[in-house]
Amino acid sequence: MNFDLKTEFTLSKDISKLEKEIKTFFSDFEKTVLKGKKVNFQNIKIKGETFTLNIVSKSTFRPHNALLQIKNKISQEFGKKHHIGVREIKIENYTIVFDLEKKPLKDFKIPFAKIEIKNKTAKLILEQVDEEFLRGNYIDRIIKRVHEKVENQYYEGKGEFWKSIWESKSKKPVWNKDPTEEMVKKDWLKQGPTKGKWFFRPQAAAILKTMEKIAIEEVLKPLGFQEIIESNVVPFEVWLKTGHMEGMPGEFYYVCEPNTRDPDKWEKFVDLTKITREIPISELKKNLSDPKGGLCYAQCPVIYWSLKGKTISEKSLPVLIYDNTAISGRYESGGRHGIERVDEFHRIEPVYIGTREQLLGLREKLLERYKHVFNNIFDLEWRMAWVTPWYMQQAGKIGDKGTQDTGTIDFEAYMPYRGDRKKSEWLEFQNLSILGDKYIKAFNIKAQKSSLWSGCSGIGLERWATAFLAQKGINPDKWPEGFKKYLDKLPKGIEFL
Amino acid sequence: MNFDLKTEFTLSKDISKLEKEIKTFFSDFEKTVLKGKKVNFQNIKIKGETFTLNIVSKSTFRPHNALLQIKNKISQEFGKKHHIGVREIKIENYTIVFDLEKKPLKDFKIPFAKIEIKNKTAKLILEQVDEEFLRGNYIDRIIKRVHEKVENQYYEGKGEFWKSIWESKSKKPVWNKDPTEEMVKKDWLKQGPTKGKWFFRPQAAAILKTMEKIAIEEVLKPLGFQEIIESNVVPFEVWLKTGHMEGMPGEFYYVCEPNTRDPDKWEKFVDLTKITREIPISELKKNLSDPKGGLCYAQCPVIYWSLKGKTISEKSLPVLIYDNTAISGRYESGGRHGIERVDEFHRIEPVYIGTREQLLGLREKLLERYKHVFNNIFDLEWRMAWVTPWYMQQAGKIGDKGTQDTGTIDFEAYMPYRGDRKKSEWLEFQNLSILGDKYIKAFNIKAQKSSLWSGCSGIGLERWATAFLAQKGINPDKWPEGFKKYLDKLPKGIEFL
């Protein structure tokens, strides 16, 4: 790496006569503090109350890290001898040259700096940088982000890692229709009131609630999971810690609070609404705060937040908890389909925290319970595969290979309405992850003695329902016996003319 | 009432020579179309291609309603004879004088007009009004809003209507502590992650889920209610129909969608987030749409929406449905307290639609089931009162008196931690409303034959829990036998050091 930082110091008095002393100061600083660091001071120029110089480094030592040290030292030495202090430091220009692992496939930008790339060498040019910028450690993150952007260019377009690990027997489906379409025709389901959301009338609601009951009774309770209830609104700080904020900002539903409840401040809005029968958006926006968070995207971040900074007693390990209340919102610009790909869905999310051994053992037990549900109760044609979901790859925390320890297993079901079982895309209707210590560290969660890992397993009720109905139909008479024990008859619903 | 509208017509040709014909036209119009309506045309002045005139009405006839008619008639008559058309109509000035029922207590403003009030007479002065404004019927709504604002001035500060109708026996409370505070101390509850929201750890979650179970098993199922599942996001159009939009805009949590999912558009946001580890709000706002809706405030509006324009079969009456999924969000700027006054809460909302007789009968049955729960299971000290909630008064649809037919019954529980049972404020922990045909009409819901009414009854789980715990404590050993049948032991929870 190669750094060249041009800085200007403004002092409290004219220093024209101190040229020799100043040059000696820097030459001493080089020989003592920066000894062996391949850092040099160059072009020291003195003019009135200011001097400029370049700090040049040929190693990984960052010149900006020396600046504040220099400031202090000058204040000490010249303060004592000449009653001179440092008023201001400016960075006029900062050039950083470093090698990339790969040659970028296309140009890109980076905030705060100009970037020039030749082959595998990147050159960052920053101008007029302030002290806060340096203190905030932005430089190192800019360099890291440049590496990441190049890496992403190579990664884009590569599919998700996928490796089959188990497959059920082939089963003869009861029908090959799209269950959502059929339920809409029967008035069991209605789309809306906003994009990608659904209204479940009694028959469809009964199916979804049965999925919930089976998940709780057959998977979570037998393994000792305890229910918690979390908020549906997630502040940005939580998503900053989990990496969601930078991973999928285009998929959140953002939430804005009113900035006041004072009726006087809302009076004009109310007047305009009553008079025009339309929403006066610009008047509304005057009364709203900037967004500070969004709707639940997955439930685990808030569960980790709830344990932030806590030390868990050994006898509470493994912590086995689940949320069945927060509703997941994910903005889908396109590709919505039926109740299986939506902007809002209902999910139970078990989270487990314990030692590596505890979690590996738990994974086996969870797999066994899930197999029991999908084989014995749903009688599904389904399979399991090791995958690394894109958001994990995006956050750059997990490699692109499934391993036996950390990683994610996807559960996929054959969807007869999509066509041939070999050629059509199966539906991911369940997953199970062990995530190592990623979130444990992010939220500083500790145990009395043990090192902790964590994981989670999203149970999407709409996905369970779609997988089941796509294979078994919507006529309860044709449902498997195991499922009929939970639901053998649909509610009457509401009849329309 | 008194209207004086000054308008300018611009025609397609010079009409200086047609002065006589034009004056005759208006004199004829007065005598034929406007006969007996106390409307006159005054100050007709012709200049080049334009003429101006005042339309003066001394009755409730609105001059602006004649304008488009005049435009058409002129185009017909002068088009045929002189090949002249109307290019533009401008309203230069419109003065409306009308009487108020009461003298305003203070000045106020109204959009689109200047308002001058002397005693009980209001004068509206509008300038430069366009055609669309007239077509949109804004004028009548402005007049209505002026009346309403004066009415509200008299209403402000008046308490909610309240009339006790039933009271339980006085019961000796188990303790007099604030249950939220005690649960926080025991780590059963944690505030956050955003204002006025809570995280329920296993012990507190078990209590809330027991409330849910009791409501379903003891109240809703025995009466034949069927569950539906609605979306948590409500578009403004639905709240415009229910009146919530103008009733409580300062209490909603507003929702904004991303205006794109395109990663290129989000790249700068991601860069800045990764480099600064803060949320770049102005960059974020570039990528967000204007709000189009908000989080569920109460569940009934979306239930009504789901039946919009439908004709319900007689045999499905009364329709008895409930939502137990959408989470209610209400922005509370102050006055938050414990889990009983919060920004986010969990509520089951049964909605009933049927004939007047069906609903009055249902009300008796619901009251009986609620009494059973609060007396025999919770063993509470509580009372019922006829009330008219402020939002109903605000929307101006229901009077300020409780009646035997439509109206709301509040259920209130004594809160020992607040002090003396006679002097302290009791907690509203349940309500029951019959609303007549207000929402039925707003959403154009019909039955095969019958006229429909509707109503709803909010079951707030946090409120039920607080009422119960405030009187019975948080030690299961001391809970009443009826409740112990549902929950006699709390889950272990998570132990922290």
Side-chain angles (χ1 to χ4, degrees):
Chain A
M1 290 181 93
N2 211 315
F3 298 85
D4 185 349
L5 184 158
K6 184 178 180 188
T7 179
E8 184 189 73
F9 278 67
T10 304
L11 306 180
S12 58
K13 280 185 193 165
D14 191 304
I15 47 167
S16 319
K17 289 175 187 163
L18 299 175
E19 183 165 351
K20 209 184 144 190
E21 273 187 69
I22 284 175
K23 288 189 170 166
T24 308
F25 168 85
F26 281 105
S27 140
D28 288 350
F29 198 96
E30 236 177 71
K31 284 176 204 153
T32 54
V33 183
L34 301 176
K35 199 182 162 194
K37 291 203 167 109
K38 296 191 188 170
V39 181
N40 292 294
F41 298 109
Q42 298 177 2
N43 307 322
I44 301 171
K45 281 179 198 160
I46 293 154
K47 193 181 168 188
E49 298 170 349
T50 68
F51 67 83
T52 58
L53 82 161
N54 288 55
I55 314 178
V56 177
S57 163
K58 306 272 183 202
S59 67
T60 55
F61 182 86
R62 277 95 166 116
H64 61 268
N65 290 337
L67 266 189
L68 300 172
Q69 235 181 324
I70 294 169
K71 182 184 171 186
N72 291 338
K73 211 126 201 249
I74 288 185
S75 299
Q76 265 175 29
E77 282 199 31
F78 290 73
K80 223 183 265 172
K81 273 196 226 160
H82 307 286
H83 299 285
I84 293 177
V86 180
R87 281 220 179 118
E88 198 187 359
I89 319 176
K90 274 191 212 157
I91 292 114
E92 296 195 344
N93 189 295
Y94 196 1
T95 306
I96 303 167
V97 178
F98 56 97
D99 290 338
L100 300 167
E101 276 129 52
K102 290 169 185 156
K103 190 183 162 187
L105 302 171
K106 56 182 180 186
D107 287 345
F108 58 87
K109 288 183 188 172
I110 189 90
F112 306 116
K114 272 191 285 189
I115 182 161
E116 292 168 7
I117 297 184
K118 270 190 197 159
N119 293 317
K120 287 163 74 177
T121 303
K123 184 183 194 178
L124 286 172
I125 303 152
L126 290 88
E127 272 161 18
Q128 304 298 343
V129 178
D130 63 20
E131 244 185 272
E132 208 195 310
F133 188 92
L134 297 177
R135 282 183 200 272
N137 202 24
Y138 290 8
I139 304 276
D140 290 324
R141 296 205 205 99
I142 289 173
I143 295 169
K144 190 177 163 204
R145 182 70 180 139
V146 168
H147 283 294
E148 211 172 65
K149 284 190 174 212
V150 176
E151 194 59 42
N152 284 349
Q153 292 183 350
Y154 280 85
Y155 176 72
E156 268 166 29
K158 265 196 202 175
E160 192 178 71
F161 172 83
W162 190 94
K163 190 186 153 205
S164 177
I165 52 177
W166 185 90
E167 224 166 303
S168 76
K169 280 189 199 136
S170 168
K171 303 261 163 84
K172 191 171 150 43
V174 164
W175 69 347
N176 63 359
K177 295 202 172 153
D178 182 339
T180 300
E181 277 177 22
E182 300 305 310
M183 289 194 285
V184 169
K185 279 186 205 157
K186 282 179 168 292
D187 267 332
W188 295 3
L189 266 182
K190 177 179 162 72
Q191 215 171 355
T194 61
K195 280 181 297 186
K197 326 283 190 317
W198 290 89
F199 187 94
F200 295 78
R201 292 215 176 89
Q203 300 90 335
I207 295 169
L208 222 61
K209 295 304 281 190
T210 302
M211 297 299 161
E212 180 186 74
K213 196 168 182 195
I214 292 172
I216 294 170
E217 297 297 331
E218 300 284 349
V219 181
L220 300 172
K221 274 196 186 165
L223 297 180
F225 277 86
Q226 304 183 77
E227 182 165 9
I228 57 84
I229 298 175
E230 68 173 56
S231 172
N232 209 36
V233 179
V234 185
F236 293 151
E237 302 87 70
V238 168
W239 284 335
L240 269 177
K241 283 194 193 292
T242 56
H244 285 77
M245 203 67 235
E246 54 228 47
M248 58 278 298
E251 295 184 38
F252 295 133
Y253 275 82
Y254 290 87
V255 173
C256 299
E257 294 173 2
N259 55 30
T260 177
R261 267 178 63 138
D262 179 358
D264 288 346
K265 296 270 167 54
W266 283 96
E267 177 128 3
K268 193 174 173 193
F269 173 87
V270 173
D271 288 347
L272 289 168
T273 304
K274 289 201 169 194
I275 292 168
T276 66
R277 303 310 295 149
E278 279 168 20
I279 306 299
I281 291 290
S282 64
E283 184 60 30
L284 173 63
K285 285 161 85 177
K286 285 183 206 160
N287 279 339
L288 297 189
S289 300
D290 288 339
K292 297 186 197 77
L295 292 184
C296 171
Y297 179 91
Q299 290 126 300
C300 56
V302 172
I303 291 183
Y304 290 112
W305 163 85
S306 81
L307 298 167
K308 191 178 125 192
K310 288 279 185 188
T311 304
I312 301 165
S313 154
E314 286 298 302
K315 68 178 177 207
S316 284
L317 296 182
V319 171
L320 303 176
I321 47 183
Y322 69 96
D323 178 77
N324 181 28
T325 301
I327 299 162
S328 298
R330 296 193 184 177
Y331 180 70
E332 297 275 354
S333 54
R336 293 182 187 98
H337 185 88
I339 61 164
E340 69 239 45
R341 180 135 183 202
V342 284
D343 285 48
E344 180 184 57
F345 54 92
H346 302 88
R347 204 167 78 126
I348 306 179
E349 181 149 41
V351 169
Y352 24 94
I353 297 173
T355 63
R356 176 179 169 281
E357 292 67 32
Q358 285 171 336
L359 295 209
L360 296 180
L362 177 73
R363 179 164 65 198
E364 294 316 307
K365 287 189 213 158
L366 269 169
L367 286 177
E368 188 191 294
R369 298 310 303 172
Y370 286 135
K371 274 190 181 175
H372 164 63
V373 171
F374 305 144
N375 290 336
N376 307 335
I377 299 178
F378 293 178
D379 186 33
L380 284 189
E381 177 167 352
W382 66 291
R383 68 190 175 205
M384 286 191 278
W386 277 111
V387 296
T388 304
W390 66 271
Y391 66 88
M392 281 296 171
Q393 295 171 319
Q394 193 88 338
K397 297 290 181 183
I398 280 192
D400 59 359
K401 285 197 189 64
T403 69
Q404 288 299 323
D405 275 11
T406 59
T408 296
I409 297 169
D410 263 5
F411 299 60
E412 302 176 341
Y414 171 46
M415 302 295 271
Y417 85 85
R418 294 184 184 172
D420 187 84
R421 56 166 57 71
K422 297 280 174 206
K423 290 177 197 154
S424 66
E425 196 191 347
W426 290 30
L427 181 74
E428 188 213 319
F429 70 105
Q430 168 75 43
N431 62 45
L432 192 166
S433 297
I434 292 189
L435 302 163
D437 63 3
K438 172 178 157 60
Y439 293 129
I440 294 296
K441 280 198 174 151
F443 290 90
N444 188 28
I445 303 168
K446 294 198 173 69
Q448 204 169 353
K449 293 181 196 160
S450 306
S451 297
L452 296 179
W453 272 18
S454 76
C456 59
S457 179
I459 301 174
L461 302 182
E462 281 88 347
R463 292 285 174 101
W464 274 32
T466 313
F468 177 75
L469 298 172
Q471 292 188 21
K472 303 300 173 189
I474 58 175
N475 177 356
D477 295 343
K478 299 192 176 169
W479 287 346
E481 290 309 315
F483 191 84
K484 279 191 193 165
K485 278 183 198 147
Y486 280 94
L487 187 71
D488 60 352
K489 205 169 86 182
L490 291 172
K492 277 182 303 175
I494 311 163
E495 210 167 285
F496 301 116
L497 293 197
Chain B
M1 291 181 92
N2 211 315
F3 298 86
D4 185 348
L5 183 157
K6 184 177 180 188
T7 179
E8 185 189 72
F9 277 67
T10 304
L11 305 179
S12 58
K13 280 186 194 166
D14 191 306
I15 47 166
S16 318
K17 289 176 188 161
L18 298 176
E19 182 164 351
K20 209 185 146 190
E21 272 188 69
I22 284 174
K23 288 189 171 169
T24 307
F25 168 85
F26 280 106
S27 141
D28 287 350
F29 198 95
E30 236 176 72
K31 285 176 202 152
T32 54
V33 183
L34 301 176
K35 199 182 162 193
K37 292 204 166 110
K38 294 192 188 170
V39 180
N40 292 292
F41 298 110
Q42 298 176 2
N43 307 321
I44 302 172
K45 281 180 195 158
I46 293 155
K47 193 181 169 188
E49 297 171 349
T50 67
F51 68 84
T52 57
L53 83 160
N54 289 57
I55 314 178
V56 177
S57 162
K58 304 275 184 201
S59 67
T60 55
F61 182 86
R62 275 95 165 118
H64 62 269
N65 289 337
L67 266 187
L68 300 173
Q69 235 182 323
I70 293 169
K71 183 184 170 185
N72 290 340
K73 210 122 202 253
I74 287 184
S75 299
Q76 265 176 28
E77 282 200 31
F78 289 73
K80 223 183 265 174
K81 272 195 225 159
H82 306 285
H83 298 286
I84 294 176
V86 179
R87 281 224 178 116
E88 196 187 0
I89 318 177
K90 273 190 211 158
I91 291 113
E92 296 195 343
N93 189 295
Y94 196 2
T95 306
I96 302 166
V97 178
F98 57 97
D99 291 338
L100 300 167
E101 276 130 53
K102 289 168 186 157
K103 190 181 162 187
L105 301 173
K106 58 182 180 187
D107 288 344
F108 58 87
K109 288 183 186 171
I110 189 91
F112 306 116
K114 271 191 287 187
I115 182 161
E116 292 168 7
I117 296 183
K118 268 189 196 158
N119 294 316
K120 287 163 72 176
T121 304
K123 185 183 194 177
L124 287 172
I125 303 152
L126 290 85
E127 273 162 13
Q128 305 297 343
V129 178
D130 63 20
E131 244 186 272
E132 207 194 311
F133 189 91
L134 298 178
R135 282 183 203 270
N137 201 24
Y138 290 8
I139 304 278
D140 290 324
R141 295 205 207 100
I142 290 174
I143 295 170
K144 190 178 162 205
R145 183 70 179 139
V146 168
H147 283 295
E148 211 172 64
K149 285 191 172 211
V150 176
E151 195 59 42
N152 284 349
Q153 291 184 351
Y154 279 84
Y155 177 73
E156 266 167 27
K158 265 196 199 173
E160 192 178 70
F161 173 83
W162 190 93
K163 192 185 151 204
S164 177
I165 51 176
W166 185 90
E167 223 166 302
S168 76
K169 279 190 201 137
S170 167
K171 304 261 163 83
K172 192 173 152 37
V174 164
W175 69 346
N176 64 358
K177 293 200 173 156
D178 182 339
T180 300
E181 277 177 23
E182 299 306 309
M183 290 193 284
V184 169
K185 279 185 206 157
K186 283 177 169 295
D187 266 332
W188 296 3
L189 266 182
K190 177 179 162 71
Q191 215 170 355
T194 62
K195 278 183 298 185
K197 326 281 190 317
W198 289 90
F199 188 93
F200 294 78
R201 292 215 176 88
Q203 300 91 333
I207 295 169
L208 222 60
K209 296 302 281 188
T210 302
M211 297 299 161
E212 179 186 74
K213 194 168 184 195
I214 292 171
I216 293 170
E217 297 296 331
E218 300 284 350
V219 180
L220 299 172
K221 274 197 187 166
L223 297 179
F225 277 86
Q226 303 184 78
E227 182 165 7
I228 58 85
I229 298 174
E230 68 174 54
S231 171
N232 209 37
V233 178
V234 186
F236 292 151
E237 302 88 71
V238 168
W239 283 336
L240 268 178
K241 284 194 192 292
T242 55
H244 285 77
M245 203 67 234
E246 55 226 46
M248 57 278 297
E251 295 183 38
F252 295 133
Y253 274 82
Y254 291 87
V255 173
C256 300
E257 292 172 0
N259 55 30
T260 177
R261 267 178 63 139
D262 179 359
D264 287 347
K265 295 271 167 53
W266 282 97
E267 176 127 3
K268 193 173 173 195
F269 173 87
V270 173
D271 287 347
L272 289 168
T273 304
K274 289 201 169 193
I275 292 168
T276 66
R277 302 310 294 149
E278 278 168 22
I279 306 299
I281 291 290
S282 63
E283 184 60 29
L284 173 63
K285 283 161 85 176
K286 285 184 206 161
N287 279 339
L288 297 188
S289 300
D290 288 339
K292 298 187 196 77
L295 293 184
C296 171
Y297 180 91
Q299 289 125 301
C300 56
V302 172
I303 291 183
Y304 290 113
W305 163 85
S306 81
L307 297 168
K308 192 177 124 192
K310 289 280 187 187
T311 304
I312 300 166
S313 155
E314 286 298 302
K315 69 179 176 206
S316 285
L317 295 182
V319 171
L320 303 176
I321 48 184
Y322 69 95
D323 178 78
N324 181 27
T325 302
I327 299 162
S328 298
R330 297 194 183 175
Y331 180 69
E332 297 276 353
S333 55
R336 294 182 186 99
H337 184 89
I339 60 165
E340 69 240 45
R341 181 136 183 200
V342 284
D343 285 47
E344 180 185 59
F345 54 93
H346 302 89
R347 206 167 77 126
I348 306 179
E349 182 150 39
V351 169
Y352 24 93
I353 297 173
T355 64
R356 176 180 169 280
E357 292 67 32
Q358 285 171 336
L359 295 209
L360 295 180
L362 177 73
R363 179 164 65 196
E364 295 316 307
K365 286 188 214 159
L366 270 169
L367 285 177
E368 190 190 294
R369 298 310 304 173
Y370 285 135
K371 273 190 181 175
H372 164 64
V373 171
F374 305 144
N375 290 335
N376 306 336
I377 299 177
F378 291 178
D379 187 33
L380 283 190
E381 177 167 351
W382 65 292
R383 67 191 174 204
M384 285 191 278
W386 277 111
V387 296
T388 304
W390 67 271
Y391 66 88
M392 282 295 169
Q393 296 170 320
Q394 193 88 341
K397 298 288 180 184
I398 280 192
D400 59 358
K401 285 197 190 65
T403 69
Q404 288 300 321
D405 274 12
T406 59
T408 296
I409 297 169
D410 263 6
F411 299 60
E412 302 176 341
Y414 170 46
M415 301 295 272
Y417 84 85
R418 294 184 185 172
D420 186 86
R421 57 165 56 72
K422 297 280 175 206
K423 290 177 197 155
S424 67
E425 196 191 347
W426 290 30
L427 181 74
E428 188 212 319
F429 70 105
Q430 167 74 43
N431 63 44
L432 191 166
S433 297
I434 292 189
L435 302 164
D437 62 3
K438 172 179 157 59
Y439 293 129
I440 294 296
K441 281 198 172 151
F443 289 90
N444 188 29
I445 303 168
K446 293 196 173 71
Q448 204 169 353
K449 293 181 195 161
S450 307
S451 297
L452 295 179
W453 271 18
S454 77
C456 59
S457 179
I459 302 173
L461 302 181
E462 281 88 348
R463 292 286 174 101
W464 275 31
T466 313
F468 178 76
L469 299 173
Q471 291 188 22
K472 304 300 173 189
I474 57 175
N475 177 356
D477 295 342
K478 298 191 176 171
W479 287 346
E481 290 309 314
F483 191 84
K484 278 191 196 164
K485 278 182 198 148
Y486 280 93
L487 187 71
D488 61 351
K489 207 171 84 185
L490 290 173
K492 277 182 304 175
I494 310 162
E495 210 167 283
F496 301 114
L497 295 197

